[in-house]
Amino acid sequence: MVDSVPLTVGVVRESLPGERRVALVPRLVDRLVRRGLRVVVEPGAGAGVLLADSVFEQAGAEIGDAWQADIVLKVAPPTADEVARLRRGTVLIGFLKPLSDVDGIAALDRAGVTAFAVESIPRITRAQAMDALSSQSSVAGYRAVLLAADRLIRFFPMLTTAAGTVPPANVLVLGAGVAGLQALATAKRLGSRPTGYDVRPEVADQVRSVGATWLDLGIEAVGEGGYARELTEEERAEQQRRLTEAITRFDVVITTALVPGRKAPTLVTEEAVRGMPAGAVVVDLAGESGGNCELTEPGKDVVVHDVTICSPLNLAAEMPGHASELYARNLTELVELLVDGDGGLAIDFSDEIIAGACVAGRERGAA
């Protein structure tokens, strides 16, 4: 009897400028190998995380052409040249921006690639271990506070010195999703007075659970799937009026509000920025979708009305070590869902996780 050729999992090197994460780390290579899979890593794939090729080899991987693998793992969406390197029938997994990069998804479809976008994984209990959107948002929320502390001209914690007592910084986080809650918890650890706000009132207890105060503006916008719905024009106008008044009391504002597939809602107006204390900081995590601050310039730090407005576009990549570990765990869980007990490809489109995450491929949506 002839042994079957093992399914290959390819780990490619990221080409997006500033992207330092890698889709699989050595400690998880053995887990896939034990499932009967062959792991191939592109030379230099782990360079951004300071992981040498030899470390992957010691973990059981091979160094070679990862683009020709049966399953290709990525972080950022592939470029047109990278899509051309994928062979027909390949399974691609990564952040693929299916709601904003329609042309990119169409290119994968034409290439005969079955693509799974991690941001499209249904937010259900069974899929929590695969929720890369949440794992990377947690990293971004943490880094956002460190960025704010670095840019702020005052201390975060209260300090009592021989020269007098310094009061703690007042920090407001808009949006109490994964990134927002992590930001609030981190701001609390740094000794500030954190306050959280979200249009979903049911998350107030979560905000309080991390040691923050809840800011109640009296406006609710509960949507489907755990996301906030888009506000009506009247609700938005009233929300901005109340937020503008509240924001002027804070030294730091961190915004995390996103509506999937749409422009980010404007929460911090120019009037609000003008009323903030001189030297205050706004960290806008929604810059990629237009920004929550009216004065945001995506990807840049600007100073307006003596307030520093930061709009980092890829904070998770600035902490590639743990970000890669978390992401690798997410992808490993998804890969194991796509293979059977013998290590063969077994894509079951009747599974709501698989059907929901599939964004390209002739069989997507099949049940």
Side-chain angles (χ1 to χ4, degrees):
M1 181 178 178
V2 179
D3 292 336
S4 61
V5 178
L7 202 68
T8 55
V9 175
V11 183
V12 299
R13 181 169 186 168
E14 299 299 320
S15 61
L16 182 70
E19 182 53 76
R20 298 172 59 194
R21 290 170 292 178
V22 64
L24 189 69
V25 295
R27 64 186 300 178
L28 288 169
V29 168
D30 179 62
R31 178 167 159 180
L32 293 180
V33 170
R34 282 188 280 109
R35 287 294 301 266
L37 305 175
R38 174 174 160 242
V39 179
V40 180
V41 179
E42 183 176 14
V49 201
L50 305 180
L51 291 172
D53 294 344
S54 59
V55 178
F56 281 99
E57 289 181 307
Q58 291 167 11
E62 302 172 26
I63 303 301
D65 185 2
W67 292 95
Q68 292 298 302
D70 300 298
I71 300 175
V72 172
L73 306 183
K74 246 194 139 295
V75 180
T79 64
D81 288 341
E82 289 172 340
V83 171
R85 298 180 66 182
L86 296 167
R87 62 180 177 78
R88 200 166 196 84
T90 292
V91 171
L92 175 68
I93 305 175
F95 280 107
L96 304 179
K97 300 183 178 179
L99 296 178
S100 59
D101 188 9
V102 178
D103 291 341
I105 298 301
L108 290 169
D109 230 345
R110 290 193 300 271
V113 173
T114 301
F116 293 90
V118 292
E119 58 267 62
S120 296
I121 291 175
R123 308 195 88 177
I124 58 176
T125 301
R126 191 166 62 88
Q128 284 182 346
M130 309 170 200
D131 191 353
L133 201 60
S134 290
S135 73
Q136 302 307 290
S137 292
S138 182
V139 177
Y142 172 82
R143 293 289 294 185
V145 177
L146 301 187
L147 176 60
D150 179 63
R151 299 292 191 273
L152 188 65
I153 64 173
R154 294 180 281 278
F155 285 119
F156 253 52
M158 180 181 74
L159 294 177
T160 301
T161 72
T165 299
V166 177
N170 291 307
V171 177
L172 174 64
V173 177
L174 301 178
V178 174
L181 290 172
Q182 183 62 252
L184 287 167
T186 304
K188 180 68 174 180
R189 294 186 198 107
L190 290 184
S192 71
R193 282 195 293 240
T195 299
Y197 170 71
D198 196 291
V199 290
R200 301 166 297 159
E202 69 272 18
V203 301
D205 286 342
Q206 295 180 46
V207 167
R208 296 187 184 102
S209 73
V210 296
T213 300
W214 172 253
L215 178 66
D216 187 0
L217 297 182
I219 299 174
E220 301 179 5
V222 181
E224 297 180 358
Y227 294 101
R229 67 170 171 80
E230 190 169 18
L231 297 173
T232 65
E233 289 298 325
E234 294 78 11
E235 288 172 329
R236 188 178 294 110
E238 182 62 12
Q239 179 196 54
Q240 289 191 347
R241 185 190 71 77
R242 298 182 189 185
L243 268 180
T244 295
E245 180 181 347
I247 285 170
T248 60
R249 304 193 298 267
F250 291 90
D251 303 297
V252 171
V253 176
I254 297 173
T255 71
T256 69
L258 290 167
V259 178
R262 300 186 182 182
K263 183 184 181 302
T266 299
L267 301 179
V268 182
T269 63
E270 181 173 3
E271 181 184 355
V273 172
R274 187 184 296 113
M276 294 180 73
V281 176
V282 174
V283 179
D284 190 343
L285 296 187
E288 190 174 355
S289 298
N292 295 137
C293 178
E294 191 174 11
L295 301 174
T296 287
E297 293 186 28
K300 298 181 180 179
D301 288 8
V302 296
V303 179
V304 185
H305 305 307
D306 294 326
V307 173
T308 299
I309 303 167
C310 309
S311 180
L313 299 181
N314 193 359
L315 272 182
E318 296 181 15
M319 195 175 202
H322 279 143
S324 294
E325 278 194 29
L326 295 172
Y327 185 63
R329 291 175 190 171
N330 298 143
L331 295 201
T332 298
E333 291 283 346
L334 183 54
V335 168
E336 291 181 336
L337 189 65
L338 296 174
V339 300
D340 58 27
D342 298 320
L345 194 62
I347 302 177
D348 179 9
F349 283 100
S350 66
D351 186 306
E352 63 178 314
I353 296 175
I354 293 175
C358 188
V359 296
R362 294 177 181 177
E363 295 179 293
R364 73 183 186 280

